């Protein structure tokens, strides 16, 4: 069952009615200049606005992933919480232009029912819909609605091929696989760890992660000394593919990159390689949109607000990308100051859009593939080691475009 529209308001004391959360001075100081500029410029559009949020019913991506010993190898948690927080935080901005913004969370079970649900949302006046769907469903929904008067924001699917589709109605706030791998390769290059042993699983998602890393490594002229496929099969015939010491033997390398979407093989890999080497990729050092331990650029305030909203759940990369998607839509409505869909859609795609993502830089979308530009964190399970782009990696127009497929490389497929 989908949820109805969620409208968030403030009490006179400045507390959210949901959970009575207080807006912090840091949050207000970051939003009040935008609100003040909107008040001074005059509001030309007053409306009640609904932002759509379309997810997959009973999405397995958000079930806690437990192995046979009840060890959690992937936490649960639905990133709709991030979008909810984004709408709530931006209320001071929408109030400045006399707009009431709500979040309409709906779910469906397959591509046909998702398109039908989206049709209902568009007919109800929802012009921007955040998609929280696996890549194949994002592809089908965006493809079937490409001529509709709606902008879709992919918040949770990292697959690079979605950025190559060139759907006119699709933007991306989830980091692409290529952005994540470029960030990782930049760090390895700064350490001069350029000889890489790649271990890749048999799942399609593993192959996609490996392909992105391979392209990033080629850009920086790394030496991939070997690429080996691992398996979870435990029979003796597969011991050279399921044994960490054997699969990492007979090679000289600086670092091991592992592409293991499920995480069951990779969790045993650190400290169990043939050579005493760093492990990166799906375990060890991991690239992501966000990591809860990051403590710069107001990020601790974002993390603490999210934990209050969710009763202690730590913010993940998918939570952040849903949060920033909601903030982008509210900002576009407030700044465009128009009831015309196309004017607001043009604003969210244009260079005038500037979003604060608690990353130290203003964020917007790339015109060639609809990908939001933003820094990537490189972190262990409890510490951020670096944030990319790293110093020394330059670009002719925007250093953030050193992460991901650059315009000269981009081809529509």
């Amino acid at each position: 069952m989908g949820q109805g529209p969620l409208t968030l308001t403030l009490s006179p004391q400045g507390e959210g009615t949901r959970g009575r959360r207080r807006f912090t001075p840091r949050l207000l100081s970051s939003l009040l200049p935008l609100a003040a500029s909107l008040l001074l410029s005059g509001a030309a559009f007053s409306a009640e606005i609904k932002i759509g949020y379309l997810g997959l019913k009973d999405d397995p991506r958000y079930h806690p992933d437990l192995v046979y010993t009840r060890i959690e190898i992937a936490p649960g948690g639905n990133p709709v919480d991030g979008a909810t927080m984004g709408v709530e935080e931006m209320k001071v901005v929408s109030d400045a232009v006399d707009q009431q913004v709500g979040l309409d969370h709906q779910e469906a079970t397959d591509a046909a029912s998702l398109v039908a649900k989206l049709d209902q949302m568009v007919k109800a006046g929802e012009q921007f819909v955040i998609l929280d769907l696996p890549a194949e469903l994002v592809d089908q929904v965006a493809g079937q609605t490409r001529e509709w008067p709606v902008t879709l924001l992919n918040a949770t699917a990292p697959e690079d091929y979605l950025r190559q589709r060139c759907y006119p109605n699709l933007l991306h706030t989830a980091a692409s696989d290529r952005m994540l791998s470029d960030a990782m390769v930049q760090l390895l290059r700064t350490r001069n760890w350029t000889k890489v042993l790649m271990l890749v699983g048999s799942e399609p998602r593993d192959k996609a992660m490996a392909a992105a890393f391979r392209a990033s490594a080629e850009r920086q002229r790394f030496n991939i000394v070997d690429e080996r496929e691992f398996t979870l099969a435990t029979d003796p015939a597969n011991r050279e593919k399921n044994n960490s010491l054997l699969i990492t033997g007979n090679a000289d390398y600086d670092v091991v990159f592992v592409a293991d979407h499920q995480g069951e093989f990779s969790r045993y890999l650190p400290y169990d390689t043939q050579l005493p080497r760093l492990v990166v990729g799906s375990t060890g050092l991991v690239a992501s949109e966000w990591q809860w331990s990051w403590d710069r650029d107001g990020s601790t305030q974002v993390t603490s607000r999210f934990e209050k909203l969710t009763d202690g759940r730590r913010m993940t990369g998918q939570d952040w990308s849903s949060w920033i998607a909601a903030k982008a839509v509210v900002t576009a409505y407030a700044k465009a100051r128009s009831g015309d869909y196309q004017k607001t859609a043009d604003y969210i795609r244009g260079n005038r859009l500037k979003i604060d993502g608690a990353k130290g830089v203003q964020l917007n979308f790339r015109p060639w593939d609809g990908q939001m530009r933003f820094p990537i964190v490189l972190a262990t399970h409890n510490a951020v080691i670096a944030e990319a782009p790293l110093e020394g990696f330059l670009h002719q127009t925007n250093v953030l475009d050193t992460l991901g497929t650059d315009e000269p490389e981009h081809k529509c497929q």
Side-chain angles (χ1 to χ4, degrees), residues 147-189:
E147 303 299 330
W148 293 15
V150 63
T151 294
L152 308 175
L153 294 95
N154 163 36
T156 58
E159 282 78 356
D160 283 299
Y161 77 84
L162 290 174
R163 283 77 178 165
Q164 306 291 339
R165 291 292 197 243
C166 300
Y167 293 128
N169 61 333
L170 184 61
L171 299 173
H172 309 272
T173 59
S176 67
D177 283 332
R178 184 64 186 274
M179 289 174 67
L180 300 173
S181 61
D182 279 340
M184 183 66 71
V185 164
Q186 284 189 11
L187 179 63
L188 298 180
R189 168 55 74 182

Short mmCIF file of all heavy atoms in Angstrom, two decimals, residues 147-189:
data_model
loop_
_atom_site.label_atom_id
_atom_site.label_comp_id
_atom_site.label_asym_id
_atom_site.label_seq_id
_atom_site.Cartn_x
_atom_site.Cartn_y
_atom_site.Cartn_z
N GLU A 147 8.01 11.02 -22.80
CA GLU A 147 7.31 12.17 -23.37
C GLU A 147 6.33 12.80 -22.38
O GLU A 147 5.63 13.76 -22.74
CB GLU A 147 6.58 11.76 -24.65
CG GLU A 147 7.45 11.13 -25.72
CD GLU A 147 8.55 12.07 -26.21
OE1 GLU A 147 8.33 13.30 -26.18
OE2 GLU A 147 9.63 11.59 -26.61
N TRP A 148 6.25 12.28 -21.19
CA TRP A 148 5.29 12.80 -20.21
C TRP A 148 5.81 14.10 -19.58
O TRP A 148 7.02 14.33 -19.50
CB TRP A 148 5.05 11.78 -19.10
CG TRP A 148 4.35 10.53 -19.53
CD1 TRP A 148 4.15 10.08 -20.80
CD2 TRP A 148 3.77 9.55 -18.66
NE1 TRP A 148 3.48 8.89 -20.80
CE2 TRP A 148 3.22 8.53 -19.50
CE3 TRP A 148 3.65 9.43 -17.28
CZ2 TRP A 148 2.58 7.42 -18.98
CZ3 TRP A 148 3.00 8.32 -16.76
CH2 TRP A 148 2.47 7.32 -17.60
N PRO A 149 4.90 14.96 -19.12
CA PRO A 149 5.31 16.21 -18.45
C PRO A 149 5.71 15.96 -17.00
O PRO A 149 5.07 16.43 -16.05
CB PRO A 149 4.05 17.07 -18.56
CG PRO A 149 2.93 16.09 -18.50
CD PRO A 149 3.42 14.88 -19.26
N VAL A 150 6.77 15.19 -16.81
CA VAL A 150 7.25 14.87 -15.47
C VAL A 150 8.76 14.67 -15.53
O VAL A 150 9.29 14.14 -16.51
CB VAL A 150 6.55 13.60 -14.92
CG1 VAL A 150 6.87 12.38 -15.78
CG2 VAL A 150 6.91 13.35 -13.46
N THR A 151 9.46 15.11 -14.49
CA THR A 151 10.89 14.87 -14.35
C THR A 151 11.09 13.80 -13.28
O THR A 151 10.58 13.93 -12.16
CB THR A 151 11.64 16.15 -13.95
OG1 THR A 151 11.56 17.08 -15.03
CG2 THR A 151 13.11 15.86 -13.67
N LEU A 152 11.83 12.76 -13.63
CA LEU A 152 12.13 11.66 -12.72
C LEU A 152 13.55 11.82 -12.19
O LEU A 152 14.46 12.14 -12.96
CB LEU A 152 11.99 10.32 -13.45
CG LEU A 152 10.68 10.09 -14.21
CD1 LEU A 152 10.73 8.78 -14.97
CD2 LEU A 152 9.49 10.12 -13.25
N LEU A 153 13.73 11.59 -10.91
CA LEU A 153 15.05 11.69 -10.30
C LEU A 153 15.43 10.32 -9.73
O LEU A 153 14.86 9.86 -8.74
CB LEU A 153 15.07 12.74 -9.18
CG LEU A 153 14.86 14.19 -9.64
CD1 LEU A 153 13.39 14.58 -9.53
CD2 LEU A 153 15.72 15.17 -8.83
N ASN A 154 16.39 9.67 -10.38
CA ASN A 154 16.87 8.37 -9.94
C ASN A 154 17.76 8.55 -8.71
O ASN A 154 18.85 9.11 -8.80
CB ASN A 154 17.65 7.69 -11.07
CG ASN A 154 18.52 6.56 -10.59
OD1 ASN A 154 18.17 5.82 -9.67
ND2 ASN A 154 19.70 6.42 -11.20
N ALA A 155 17.28 8.07 -7.57
CA ALA A 155 18.00 8.31 -6.32
C ALA A 155 18.79 7.12 -5.81
O ALA A 155 19.57 7.27 -4.86
CB ALA A 155 17.01 8.75 -5.24
N THR A 156 18.61 5.93 -6.41
CA THR A 156 19.24 4.76 -5.77
C THR A 156 19.84 3.75 -6.75
O THR A 156 20.34 2.72 -6.30
CB THR A 156 18.21 4.02 -4.88
OG1 THR A 156 17.08 3.64 -5.66
CG2 THR A 156 17.76 4.91 -3.73
N ALA A 157 19.84 4.00 -8.04
CA ALA A 157 20.39 3.04 -9.01
C ALA A 157 21.70 3.58 -9.57
O ALA A 157 21.70 4.59 -10.30
CB ALA A 157 19.40 2.78 -10.14
N PRO A 158 22.85 2.93 -9.29
CA PRO A 158 24.14 3.45 -9.71
C PRO A 158 24.60 3.04 -11.11
O PRO A 158 25.63 3.52 -11.58
CB PRO A 158 25.09 2.86 -8.66
CG PRO A 158 24.46 1.54 -8.32
CD PRO A 158 22.98 1.76 -8.39
N GLU A 159 23.88 2.15 -11.76
CA GLU A 159 24.35 1.57 -13.02
C GLU A 159 24.64 2.64 -14.08
O GLU A 159 23.80 3.51 -14.36
CB GLU A 159 23.35 0.56 -13.56
CG GLU A 159 23.39 -0.78 -12.86
CD GLU A 159 22.69 -0.81 -11.52
OE1 GLU A 159 22.22 0.25 -11.06
OE2 GLU A 159 22.62 -1.90 -10.89
N ASP A 160 25.81 2.56 -14.70
CA ASP A 160 26.24 3.56 -15.68
C ASP A 160 25.35 3.58 -16.92
O ASP A 160 25.16 4.64 -17.52
CB ASP A 160 27.69 3.30 -16.09
CG ASP A 160 28.69 3.77 -15.03
OD1 ASP A 160 28.70 4.98 -14.74
OD2 ASP A 160 29.43 2.93 -14.51
N TYR A 161 24.80 2.46 -17.31
CA TYR A 161 24.05 2.45 -18.57
C TYR A 161 22.82 3.35 -18.51
O TYR A 161 22.37 3.85 -19.54
CB TYR A 161 23.67 1.02 -18.97
CG TYR A 161 22.53 0.38 -18.23
CD1 TYR A 161 21.20 0.61 -18.59
CD2 TYR A 161 22.77 -0.49 -17.16
CE1 TYR A 161 20.15 0.00 -17.91
CE2 TYR A 161 21.74 -1.10 -16.48
CZ TYR A 161 20.43 -0.86 -16.86
OH TYR A 161 19.39 -1.46 -16.20
N LEU A 162 22.30 3.58 -17.31
CA LEU A 162 21.16 4.50 -17.20
C LEU A 162 21.55 5.91 -17.61
O LEU A 162 20.74 6.65 -18.16
CB LEU A 162 20.63 4.51 -15.77
CG LEU A 162 19.92 3.25 -15.29
CD1 LEU A 162 19.59 3.37 -13.80
CD2 LEU A 162 18.65 2.99 -16.09
N ARG A 163 22.80 6.30 -17.35
CA ARG A 163 23.27 7.63 -17.74
C ARG A 163 23.50 7.73 -19.24
O ARG A 163 23.55 8.83 -19.78
CB ARG A 163 24.57 7.97 -17.00
CG ARG A 163 24.38 8.40 -15.53
CD ARG A 163 24.13 7.24 -14.63
NE ARG A 163 24.00 7.63 -13.22
CZ ARG A 163 23.50 6.84 -12.28
NH1 ARG A 163 23.10 5.62 -12.57
NH2 ARG A 163 23.40 7.26 -11.05
N GLN A 164 23.64 6.60 -19.90
CA GLN A 164 23.83 6.58 -21.35
C GLN A 164 22.52 6.54 -22.12
O GLN A 164 22.53 6.67 -23.35
CB GLN A 164 24.69 5.37 -21.74
CG GLN A 164 26.01 5.24 -21.01
CD GLN A 164 27.01 6.31 -21.38
OE1 GLN A 164 26.90 6.93 -22.43
NE2 GLN A 164 28.00 6.55 -20.53
N ARG A 165 21.41 6.36 -21.45
CA ARG A 165 20.12 6.26 -22.13
C ARG A 165 19.67 7.60 -22.71
O ARG A 165 18.90 7.64 -23.67
CB ARG A 165 19.06 5.73 -21.18
CG ARG A 165 19.24 4.27 -20.79
CD ARG A 165 19.00 3.36 -21.98
NE ARG A 165 18.77 2.00 -21.57
CZ ARG A 165 19.55 0.97 -21.89
NH1 ARG A 165 20.64 1.16 -22.64
NH2 ARG A 165 19.25 -0.24 -21.48
N CYS A 166 20.07 8.70 -22.05
CA CYS A 166 19.70 10.04 -22.52
C CYS A 166 18.20 10.27 -22.53
O CYS A 166 17.67 10.95 -23.42
CB CYS A 166 20.30 10.32 -23.91
SG CYS A 166 22.11 10.23 -23.96
N TYR A 167 17.49 9.69 -21.57
CA TYR A 167 16.07 9.99 -21.46
C TYR A 167 15.90 11.47 -21.10
O TYR A 167 16.52 11.95 -20.14
CB TYR A 167 15.42 9.13 -20.37
CG TYR A 167 15.38 7.65 -20.69
CD1 TYR A 167 15.86 6.71 -19.79
CD2 TYR A 167 14.84 7.20 -21.90
CE1 TYR A 167 15.80 5.35 -20.07
CE2 TYR A 167 14.80 5.84 -22.19
CZ TYR A 167 15.28 4.92 -21.27
OH TYR A 167 15.23 3.57 -21.56
N PRO A 168 15.07 12.21 -21.82
CA PRO A 168 14.96 13.65 -21.55
C PRO A 168 14.31 13.97 -20.21
O PRO A 168 14.43 15.09 -19.72
CB PRO A 168 14.09 14.14 -22.71
CG PRO A 168 13.30 12.95 -23.14
CD PRO A 168 14.21 11.77 -22.93
N ASN A 169 13.64 12.99 -19.61
CA ASN A 169 12.92 13.23 -18.35
C ASN A 169 13.62 12.64 -17.13
O ASN A 169 13.03 12.59 -16.06
CB ASN A 169 11.51 12.63 -18.44
CG ASN A 169 11.53 11.11 -18.67
OD1 ASN A 169 12.48 10.58 -19.24
ND2 ASN A 169 10.50 10.43 -18.22
N LEU A 170 14.88 12.20 -17.26
CA LEU A 170 15.54 11.48 -16.17
C LEU A 170 16.80 12.19 -15.70
O LEU A 170 17.71 12.48 -16.48
CB LEU A 170 15.89 10.06 -16.63
CG LEU A 170 16.51 9.13 -15.57
CD1 LEU A 170 15.56 8.91 -14.41
CD2 LEU A 170 16.90 7.79 -16.21
N LEU A 171 16.85 12.46 -14.38
CA LEU A 171 18.04 12.97 -13.71
C LEU A 171 18.51 11.94 -12.70
O LEU A 171 17.77 11.01 -12.36
CB LEU A 171 17.74 14.30 -13.01
CG LEU A 171 17.27 15.46 -13.89
CD1 LEU A 171 16.86 16.65 -13.02
CD2 LEU A 171 18.35 15.88 -14.87
N HIS A 172 19.73 12.12 -12.18
CA HIS A 172 20.31 11.14 -11.26
C HIS A 172 20.95 11.84 -10.07
O HIS A 172 21.84 12.68 -10.25
CB HIS A 172 21.38 10.30 -11.97
CG HIS A 172 20.93 9.70 -13.25
ND1 HIS A 172 20.31 8.48 -13.34
CD2 HIS A 172 21.01 10.18 -14.53
CE1 HIS A 172 20.02 8.22 -14.61
NE2 HIS A 172 20.44 9.23 -15.34
N THR A 173 20.49 11.50 -8.87
CA THR A 173 21.18 11.97 -7.67
C THR A 173 21.97 10.85 -7.01
O THR A 173 22.79 11.12 -6.13
CB THR A 173 20.19 12.57 -6.64
OG1 THR A 173 19.22 11.58 -6.29
CG2 THR A 173 19.50 13.80 -7.21
N ALA A 174 21.74 9.60 -7.40
CA ALA A 174 22.62 8.50 -6.99
C ALA A 174 23.94 8.63 -7.73
O ALA A 174 23.96 8.97 -8.92
CB ALA A 174 21.97 7.16 -7.31
N ALA A 175 25.04 8.37 -7.05
CA ALA A 175 26.33 8.34 -7.73
C ALA A 175 26.37 7.19 -8.72
O ALA A 175 25.86 6.10 -8.44
CB ALA A 175 27.45 8.20 -6.72
N SER A 176 26.97 7.41 -9.87
CA SER A 176 27.14 6.33 -10.83
C SER A 176 28.30 5.43 -10.41
O SER A 176 29.18 5.83 -9.64
CB SER A 176 27.41 6.90 -12.23
OG SER A 176 28.67 7.56 -12.25
N ASP A 177 28.30 4.21 -10.94
CA ASP A 177 29.43 3.31 -10.68
C ASP A 177 30.74 3.96 -11.08
O ASP A 177 31.76 3.80 -10.40
CB ASP A 177 29.24 2.00 -11.47
CG ASP A 177 28.23 1.07 -10.83
OD1 ASP A 177 28.07 1.12 -9.60
OD2 ASP A 177 27.60 0.29 -11.56
N ARG A 178 30.73 4.69 -12.20
CA ARG A 178 31.96 5.31 -12.68
C ARG A 178 32.44 6.42 -11.74
O ARG A 178 33.64 6.57 -11.52
CB ARG A 178 31.74 5.86 -14.09
CG ARG A 178 32.98 6.44 -14.73
CD ARG A 178 34.07 5.40 -14.96
NE ARG A 178 35.28 6.02 -15.44
CZ ARG A 178 35.55 6.29 -16.72
NH1 ARG A 178 34.65 5.97 -17.66
NH2 ARG A 178 36.67 6.84 -17.08
N MET A 179 31.52 7.18 -11.16
CA MET A 179 31.92 8.19 -10.18
C MET A 179 32.61 7.54 -8.99
O MET A 179 33.65 8.01 -8.51
CB MET A 179 30.70 8.98 -9.71
CG MET A 179 30.09 9.92 -10.72
SD MET A 179 28.56 10.69 -10.13
CE MET A 179 29.16 11.72 -8.79
N LEU A 180 32.02 6.44 -8.51
CA LEU A 180 32.58 5.74 -7.34
C LEU A 180 33.97 5.18 -7.64
O LEU A 180 34.90 5.29 -6.84
CB LEU A 180 31.63 4.64 -6.90
CG LEU A 180 30.22 5.10 -6.49
CD1 LEU A 180 29.32 3.89 -6.25
CD2 LEU A 180 30.27 5.97 -5.25
N SER A 181 34.11 4.56 -8.82
CA SER A 181 35.41 3.96 -9.15
C SER A 181 36.46 5.02 -9.46
O SER A 181 37.63 4.85 -9.13
CB SER A 181 35.25 2.98 -10.32
OG SER A 181 34.77 3.64 -11.48
N ASP A 182 36.06 6.13 -10.09
CA ASP A 182 37.02 7.21 -10.33
C ASP A 182 37.55 7.77 -9.02
O ASP A 182 38.74 8.09 -8.90
CB ASP A 182 36.36 8.34 -11.14
CG ASP A 182 36.30 8.05 -12.63
OD1 ASP A 182 37.07 7.20 -13.10
OD2 ASP A 182 35.47 8.66 -13.32
N ALA A 183 36.66 7.90 -8.03
CA ALA A 183 37.10 8.40 -6.72
C ALA A 183 38.12 7.44 -6.10
O ALA A 183 39.16 7.87 -5.57
CB ALA A 183 35.89 8.56 -5.80
N MET A 184 37.84 6.14 -6.16
CA MET A 184 38.75 5.17 -5.60
C MET A 184 40.10 5.20 -6.31
O MET A 184 41.18 5.18 -5.68
CB MET A 184 38.15 3.77 -5.70
CG MET A 184 39.00 2.67 -5.08
SD MET A 184 39.15 2.83 -3.29
CE MET A 184 37.48 2.39 -2.78
N VAL A 185 40.07 5.27 -7.62
CA VAL A 185 41.31 5.26 -8.40
C VAL A 185 42.13 6.52 -8.14
O VAL A 185 43.37 6.47 -8.11
CB VAL A 185 40.98 5.08 -9.90
CG1 VAL A 185 42.16 5.45 -10.77
CG2 VAL A 185 40.56 3.64 -10.17
N GLN A 186 41.47 7.65 -7.92
CA GLN A 186 42.22 8.86 -7.60
C GLN A 186 43.03 8.68 -6.32
O GLN A 186 44.20 9.08 -6.25
CB GLN A 186 41.27 10.05 -7.46
CG GLN A 186 40.76 10.60 -8.78
CD GLN A 186 39.99 11.90 -8.62
OE1 GLN A 186 39.99 12.52 -7.56
NE2 GLN A 186 39.33 12.34 -9.68
N LEU A 187 42.41 8.10 -5.31
CA LEU A 187 43.15 7.88 -4.06
C LEU A 187 44.31 6.91 -4.27
O LEU A 187 45.42 7.15 -3.78
CB LEU A 187 42.21 7.35 -2.98
CG LEU A 187 42.88 7.06 -1.63
CD1 LEU A 187 43.44 8.35 -1.02
CD2 LEU A 187 41.93 6.39 -0.66
N LEU A 188 44.06 5.83 -4.97
CA LEU A 188 45.14 4.86 -5.22
C LEU A 188 46.29 5.50 -6.00
O LEU A 188 47.46 5.22 -5.74
CB LEU A 188 44.58 3.65 -5.97
CG LEU A 188 43.49 2.84 -5.25
CD1 LEU A 188 43.05 1.67 -6.12
CD2 LEU A 188 43.96 2.35 -3.89
N ARG A 189 45.94 6.37 -6.96
CA ARG A 189 46.98 7.04 -7.73
C ARG A 189 47.81 7.96 -6.84
O ARG A 189 49.05 8.01 -6.97
CB ARG A 189 46.33 7.83 -8.87
CG ARG A 189 47.26 8.81 -9.60
CD ARG A 189 48.52 8.16 -10.13
NE ARG A 189 48.26 7.33 -11.31
CZ ARG A 189 49.19 6.64 -11.93
NH1 ARG A 189 50.44 6.64 -11.47
NH2 ARG A 189 48.89 5.90 -12.98
#
